Each structure stands twice: as C-alpha cells, then as structure tokens.
Amino acid sequence: MKIPNRIQPLVDDGLVDEVVSRLMSGKEADVYVVRCGDEIRCAKVYKEASKRSFKQAVVYQEGRKVRNSRSARAMEKGSKYGRKQHEEVWQNTEVDALFKLAAAGVRVPQPYVCLDGVLLMELITDEDGHVAPRLNDVALTPEQAVIDHHKVIRYVVRMLCAGLIHGDLSEFNVLVDEHGPVIIDLPQVVDAAANNQAKAMLARDVNNMRNYYGMYAPELLKTRYAQEMWALFEDGKLTPESELTGHFEECRAAIDLDAVLHEIESAEEEAYARQAWLKAEQEDSY
C-alpha cells in the first residue's frame, strides 16, 4: 500500500521497509502493519491533539514531570512550542511506560523506537501468525475467564508497584495471544502517586476487567480487587507478588454516640466554667 506521510521518515531512515496494511484507527492513533527486514511489526501513528477524540487528557497528565524547565513553562503558557512539547510528552509517555512495564513483568508490546510521532513496536500475533484479536472479540470458557482475569489483575498489581495506572483499561485495550492477555494503549498512563484521580482510575480499570470477565464467570463480579490493592498500596505493603483475595471490608467502626455526646457536653461545661472564671477575674480587678 501507499506509504503514509508520517511513516515516510522511518522508511527514509531504513527503519521500515514496507507498509503492509492499515490495522486500525483509534481515538488517539492509527496503527499500520509494517515490515522491518525479516520481521513484521506495527507502527502507531499518533494523531495531532486537534484530531484526537480522547477526552479529558489534562486529567491523565496531572502529576507528570517535565525535566526541562523551559518546556514546562512553555507548556503552562500554551505557546506553539509548548503545545509541541505537550505532544512529545504524550507520545513519549507510552514509550517510557512500555519499557518500564516490560521490565516489571507486565505483558505489553515491545517498543523499538519513537520518531516524529510514530511508535515502532512489536506486533502481537496469535499462534497462527495472524494479528492477535482484542479481548472483546474472543469467546471464553468460564475456566479460561478466571485464569485470564487472574493474569490481568496480576499485571495491574505489577503496574501499580511500578507507580503506574493504565487509566483506560478495558476489553478494547487488551489483546489475546496463545499465552493469554497482553495490555496495550498506554499514552494516558497515570502516575499513581502524583495524580489525585489515581484511586478512581485504578478502580475503573479493575472493575472494567471484572465486569467483562464476569460475563463468562459470574463469581468474579463479587470480587473487590481494586479496593484491596489500593489499601495495600497506600500502606506501602503492596508488592509484585502480593497474594490478593478479592475480598475487602470497609472500615466501619461503630460510633459510640453516648460517648460523643458526653464529650460535647463536657467541652461545653468547661467553656462555661472558663467564661465564668474570666468574668469573676474582671470584676475583681475593678
């Protein structure tokens, strides 16, 4: 097929030899199947901000650090240079996350290079060498749903231990190959320690997975992995090998209303006594 303009620089640099086909068009990028020497890979071409349909990008970017102070100031002002920097940060975030998560034991596509808004990475395929399907296109047995759900929860735990939350995890952002689920699409990844919405985003990610796999294995619908792992994370007790139960009890300590009322009454009596003492002191001084 005709080489897209955005991929042409990679062809010129010898990184891509042929564009085989267009794989998909998503809310933040178009993805192509490409040949690089003897290997078939994929090229993710990020869309410009004005053409992306991904909403609330600012919410996801909260807490991200920009090392260059000039770039940070430009991004805050919204200048032309600043907008360009925003785009580079958005794109590089996925590359950095892919390397970081792969090292943490999370199954993600292997990244190779990101050049001029084009990310060249591994093409996930099934056992027959065809492009691996998305989770929403795969029929599961109850047993397989439980197994794959456990794997995804394990990956989410490892992500959280690495300080990251996917932020948009669903059956549309998981591929399935012969070894199980592979997590994809990470430009909106969230800093777990610096983003005020981190807990809510983690819960949404985990519950999306629970609800999808729960269609095949209804017993999963009763699990509360998000609350359990976040509680451990906040206490500094979450590790990549933490054994989760899926159960979580909210702290609902009984309130002794009589004791509370007694404390209020005692405080009021002390206040009245102090006022009386001050009044008496003032009268004695005259």
Side-chain angles (χ1 to χ4, degrees):
M1 64 172 289
K2 182 180 178 181
I3 299 173
N5 292 335
R6 298 280 300 281
I7 298 181
Q8 187 63 51
L10 279 77
V11 175
D12 296 339
D13 289 347
L15 297 171
V16 171
D17 294 300
E18 178 188 3
V19 178
V20 179
S21 63
R22 181 171 178 167
L23 181 57
M24 60 157 288
S25 179
K27 53 194 173 185
E28 82 268 356
D30 294 324
V31 181
Y32 296 85
V33 177
V34 299
R35 182 176 61 81
C36 306
D38 296 329
E39 294 187 13
I40 299 297
R41 298 175 178 173
C42 68
K44 184 172 185 177
V45 181
Y46 291 99
K47 294 180 179 179
E48 297 176 0
S50 59
K51 297 179 181 179
R52 286 200 301 260
S53 60
F54 194 87
K55 305 300 181 182
Q56 299 180 321
V58 175
V59 175
Y60 296 88
Q61 293 170 352
E62 180 185 344
R64 292 183 182 176
K65 297 179 177 62
V66 180
R67 297 173 184 173
N68 186 297
S69 58
R70 175 177 174 243
S71 296
R73 290 194 298 270
M75 289 166 65
E76 289 178 1
K77 293 180 180 179
S79 64
K80 182 177 180 180
Y81 174 75
R83 292 193 297 273
K84 180 181 178 182
Q85 293 302 301
H86 261 302
E87 287 304 293
E88 289 186 5
V89 169
W90 180 263
Q91 296 158 14
N92 290 336
T93 293
E94 179 162 31
V95 181
D96 294 342
L98 287 172
F99 279 113
K100 190 173 186 179
L101 295 180
V106 180
R107 288 201 70 209
V108 294
Q110 179 183 350
Y112 297 109
V113 66
C114 188
L115 179 66
D116 295 332
V118 180
L119 171 59
L120 190 63
M121 59 183 174
E122 175 189 8
L123 178 67
I124 305 299
T125 59
D126 62 19
E127 57 186 349
D128 297 320
H130 301 131
V131 175
R134 291 177 182 267
L135 177 57
N136 67 299
D137 292 324
V138 177
L140 300 170
T141 64
E143 295 76 16
Q144 193 62 52
V146 170
I147 292 172
D148 285 0
H149 177 260
H150 177 76
K151 290 180 178 179
V152 169
I153 291 299
R154 178 56 54 200
Y155 295 155
V156 173
V157 167
R158 290 174 181 173
M159 290 178 69
L160 189 54
C161 288
L164 301 176
I165 295 170
H166 188 287
D168 192 35
L169 189 60
S170 73
E171 63 271 22
F172 301 102
N173 287 329
V174 176
L175 299 180
V176 182
D177 67 7
E178 60 182 313
H179 302 293
V182 180
I183 294 177
I184 62 171
D185 291 340
L186 292 150
Q188 74 294 315
V189 70
V190 171
D191 186 319
N195 192 301
N196 289 323
Q197 301 300 316
K199 180 179 180 180
M201 291 184 185
L202 174 72
R204 185 176 62 191
D205 284 355
V206 173
N207 293 340
N208 280 345
M209 293 290 89
R210 176 196 66 191
N211 295 341
Y212 186 80
Y213 285 113
M215 292 192 300
Y216 298 95
E219 65 270 24
L220 295 175
L221 298 175
K222 298 178 182 179
T223 59
R224 304 187 69 192
Y225 284 106
Q227 295 90 333
E228 183 181 10
M229 69 176 74
W230 185 261
L232 291 171
F233 176 71
E234 280 193 314
D235 290 342
K237 298 178 180 178
L238 188 70
T239 72
E241 305 308 322
S242 292
E243 291 295 332
L244 303 184
T245 64
H247 303 292
F248 182 77
E249 293 294 332
E250 299 285 356
C251 181
R252 293 192 178 93
I255 298 176
D256 189 339
L257 292 179
D258 290 337
V260 173
L261 290 174
H262 177 71
E263 289 295 328
I264 293 174
E265 291 172 355
S266 297
E268 289 178 344
E269 289 175 358
E270 289 181 6
Y272 288 140
R274 182 169 181 76
Q275 288 178 353
W277 180 82
L278 289 173
K279 183 177 181 181
E281 286 288 310
Q282 290 172 350
E283 290 176 350
D284 289 342
S285 65
Y286 285 120

